[in-house]
Amino acid sequence: MKALTKAVLLLSVAIGGPLSLTVTSGFAAELKAGTAKVVITNQTPRVMTNGRVSSGVLKDIYARALVLNDGRKRLVIITYDLNCLDVATPILRTRLKRELSIDPAYVVLLATHNHNGPIQIVPDNFDYGRWLADKLYDLVKEAMGREVGPVRLLFGSGHGYFIQSSGNAPVDYEIQLLKVMKGEQVVALLFNHGTHPLQGSIDKVGPGHPGWAMDEIEAKIPGSFAMYSDACGGNQFPRLRGRIREELAAAQKQGTEVANSFLLKHTKSLAHELAVSILDIAGGELRDVTGPITSSMQTLSLPLRDPIPRAEAEVLAKNFPADTGFVPYPNKFRGTNWVRMLLYWYERGLPFPKWTTDLICTDDTYLIHKSDRQMLDRYDYSIHDELPCIYEEVIVAKLGPMPLVAMQGEVCAPIGMRIKDAFRHEIPIMVFSYMGEHNLYIPTRELVRLDAYQSKVIQIQYASPVGWAPEVEDEMVGGVIKMVEDIRSTAEPTP
């Protein structure tokens, strides 16, 4: 370990864990932390992210909040057992700013990437999103009211080798952990891993394997509060060992209950592997990153390619009924919305977008040009007046010496790896994606070249008339690195 200026080595014992070596900082002001969680399980059947209507509850889903207060600013970190936040995002940001004076740059909204919870892009689920926004606002207030201090922030990382990647990409096995301690008591454990979740059921609401992992961690460390969010897992998935796929297919032929039992068994097994990894990291060598809090938020402009010729679009239009119109998830023709949108743009003579910032995303995930008054009026009901969704939102906070990066959408693993590798030799850095609303995939250059699913989602799910330019990866990485460099060069706030 490199010697650190004005740092000493201390031995500390994690509750329920082995002896750990901690590098401490010299932050003088008192840092406080508060936590709270709330059940967000839907009480009536809802369309879930996996496209099915829920038929009961396997296990409750939760939202969890961690509020860090350095005496000047509060940083609010909220995780939730959902695929993303969607409708609730601008409503919650607006209330926190107006009523609690917490700027959106200091509100880090992170999803577990759960596919067995309500998806808010379905118009029939918009009311769930509005209900959820109120729940999360109350959750933040509860966490603020439970602040305790002084606390220390400790950062560490390890690896979970039970995932795999697609798209000709290396696997990012890294698991990152932020441990919040009050004396020798663990207050909170915020951790990430870059992967889609394994779900415990086909048709029931449940949190996926991270939910069971959090339960196990809290049982092993009494009094602790576990929080999970996906890292950059857009192209990464659980590694299914042996003949699990074939066995699952056989179980499905025997009926949903048999398949659910099979899935639950393997979901709990994966959860245990994740929990063990977290407990190992929590009890190992950690770096103290306690310090003043600052944060910034920007909308990065990402490049788009030119449209296909109109004649090609007209040929594609022969594959669906002429009167289909624009249809929401999970309509079977949703994947062809982009063709109809492209023809609409040609007919209207609209300027094709060159950058994501040319477009506004509606709550039901239509990407509309900022100048298209006809479509903006048509979908006005699903565009927030004050905080419309424009890609690509990024928050970079700084906890003492450590940047904490949160990127909107399903960012693919090599992008996160490049950002971490740009700084890890100098400073600790914690990187998340699945932040805020609408999980648009942010693909790599290679995924664009392959025309892989992750690169096509901008069209087949978001109805963009054009796809990604190959430079999207470099623009994303460069933009985030610039944000990190900027916040690192900002003068430390005085306590």
Side-chain angles (χ1 to χ4, degrees):
M1 177 184 301
K2 294 181 179 180
L4 298 173
T5 304
K6 296 181 181 178
V8 295
L9 297 181
L10 295 179
L11 292 177
S12 62
V13 178
I15 301 298
L19 195 66
S20 63
L21 185 65
T22 305
V23 181
T24 64
S25 72
F27 180 55
E30 180 176 292
L31 187 68
K32 295 181 178 180
T35 61
K37 74 176 182 178
V38 64
V39 174
I40 57 170
T41 307
N42 48 297
Q43 299 303 306
T44 57
R46 298 276 185 176
V47 176
M48 300 187 293
T49 301
N50 66 12
R52 295 174 178 266
V53 176
S54 60
S55 61
V57 178
L58 173 65
K59 179 178 174 61
D60 276 326
I61 56 176
Y62 287 86
R64 299 165 174 86
L66 168 64
V67 177
L68 300 174
N69 181 358
D70 70 356
R72 301 172 45 263
K73 291 283 188 179
R74 284 186 171 93
L75 182 70
V76 176
I77 301 172
I78 304 175
T79 66
Y80 30 86
D81 296 328
L82 298 170
N83 188 52
C84 49
L85 202 55
D86 299 329
V87 172
T89 301
I91 301 172
L92 177 62
R93 286 174 172 170
T94 300
R95 285 198 69 187
L96 291 175
K97 172 70 172 177
R98 183 178 64 242
E99 299 177 37
L100 299 179
S101 299
I102 302 175
D103 189 85
Y106 285 79
V107 181
V108 182
L109 305 171
L110 299 171
T112 65
H113 197 177
N114 177 32
H115 284 57
N116 279 37
I119 185 166
Q120 296 167 56
I121 64 173
V122 177
D124 286 346
N125 285 354
F126 284 0
D127 62 320
Y128 174 83
R130 292 187 287 269
W131 170 86
L132 183 61
D134 290 339
K135 280 282 189 182
L136 297 185
Y137 175 82
D138 292 340
L139 181 69
V140 173
K141 289 189 67 176
E142 181 182 351
M144 289 170 59
R146 299 178 61 186
E147 289 175 358
V148 297
V151 299
R152 291 178 298 140
L153 306 181
L154 309 174
F155 174 78
S157 63
H159 297 89
Y161 295 106
F162 36 85
I163 59 174
Q164 58 190 342
S165 68
S166 63
N168 295 336
V171 183
D172 185 359
Y173 294 110
E174 186 174 23
I175 297 172
Q176 297 186 309
L177 170 70
L178 183 68
K179 183 178 180 181
V180 184
M181 297 286 292
K182 183 179 186 297
E184 298 303 320
Q185 175 63 48
V186 178
V187 175
L189 295 165
L190 170 65
F191 61 99
N192 65 24
H193 197 201
T195 182
H196 284 67
L198 188 60
Q199 304 293 160
S201 171
I202 293 173
D203 60 340
K204 298 185 185 302
V205 172
H209 79 271
W212 276 273
M214 286 184 275
D215 286 351
E216 183 172 341
I217 291 165
E218 291 178 347
K220 292 290 178 64
I221 307 179
S224 66
F225 183 82
M227 302 174 68
Y228 169 85
S229 173
D230 203 339
C232 295
N235 66 314
Q236 298 197 154
F237 308 86
R239 180 184 294 279
L240 301 179
R241 297 181 176 88
R243 297 177 54 81
I244 290 180
R245 293 183 187 278
E246 293 84 350
E247 292 170 4
L248 174 59
Q252 287 177 303
K253 291 179 181 178
Q254 298 178 61
T256 300
E257 288 189 13
V258 174
N260 283 348
S261 177
F262 179 89
L263 283 171
L264 183 57
K265 172 186 172 182
H266 289 282
T267 296
K268 288 183 175 181
S269 176
L270 185 64
H272 176 67
E273 289 190 81
L274 179 58
V276 168
S277 297
I278 295 303
L279 293 169
D280 285 346
I281 298 168
E285 183 177 325
L286 303 173
R287 175 168 175 175
D288 194 318
V289 294
T290 310
I293 298 168
T294 188
S295 192
S296 64
M297 182 176 183
Q298 292 184 22
T299 301
L300 302 182
S301 193
L302 301 180
L304 303 170
R305 69 170 182 249
D306 292 335
I308 64 172
R310 181 170 185 168
E312 289 185 24
E314 289 172 343
V315 171
L316 292 174
K318 296 177 181 179
N319 295 320
F320 51 81
D323 61 350
T324 300
F326 298 113
V327 292
Y329 185 76
N331 188 289
K332 67 178 181 179
F333 290 114
R334 184 194 183 215
T336 57
N337 276 336
W338 73 273
V339 179
R340 293 181 288 280
M341 189 70 78
L342 176 58
L343 290 172
Y344 165 81
W345 283 50
Y346 273 124
E347 290 163 4
R348 295 265 297 167
L350 295 170
F352 285 99
K354 298 293 186 183
W355 302 91
T356 52
T357 46
D358 295 334
L359 303 166
I360 292 175
C361 187
T362 70
D363 283 338
D364 31 10
T365 61
Y366 299 113
L367 286 168
I368 296 172
H369 200 281
K370 289 179 176 179
S371 68
D372 186 359
R373 178 48 52 190
Q374 179 173 311
M375 290 292 274
L376 292 173
D377 288 344
R378 176 175 175 177
Y379 290 98
D380 180 68
Y381 68 90
S382 64
I383 301 173
H384 196 271
D385 292 338
E386 297 176 49
L387 298 172
C389 177
I390 300 174
Y391 293 102
E392 161 67 19
E393 289 182 347
V394 178
I395 290 176
V396 176
K398 190 171 69 165
L399 307 176
M402 185 183 78
L404 185 151
V405 175
M407 298 175 283
Q408 184 182 17
E410 296 204 40
V411 179
C412 291
I415 294 173
M417 294 169 76
R418 289 179 62 186
I419 293 166
K420 290 185 290 187
D421 288 348
F423 297 100
R424 68 166 80 242
H425 64 292
E426 298 179 37
I427 54 171
I429 183 169
M430 195 170 194
V431 176
F432 296 88
S433 62
Y434 301 86
M435 187 270 288
E437 56 194 323
H438 301 312
N439 274 350
L440 175 63
Y441 279 94
I442 310 299
T444 61
R445 174 182 288 272
E446 178 65 2
L447 286 166
V448 174
R449 185 190 72 82
L450 294 170
D451 196 28
Y453 173 77
Q454 290 88 347
S455 72
K456 294 192 288 189
V457 160
I458 190 171
Q459 292 184 283
I460 63 176
Q461 291 187 17
Y462 287 78
S464 171
V466 297
W468 290 111
E471 296 79 15
V472 57
E473 175 185 343
D474 290 341
E475 291 288 337
M476 184 71 187
V477 171
V480 175
I481 287 176
K482 176 67 163 54
M483 289 183 67
V484 174
E485 290 173 340
D486 287 347
I487 205 166
R488 287 186 68 197
S489 65
T490 302
E492 293 286 354
T494 56

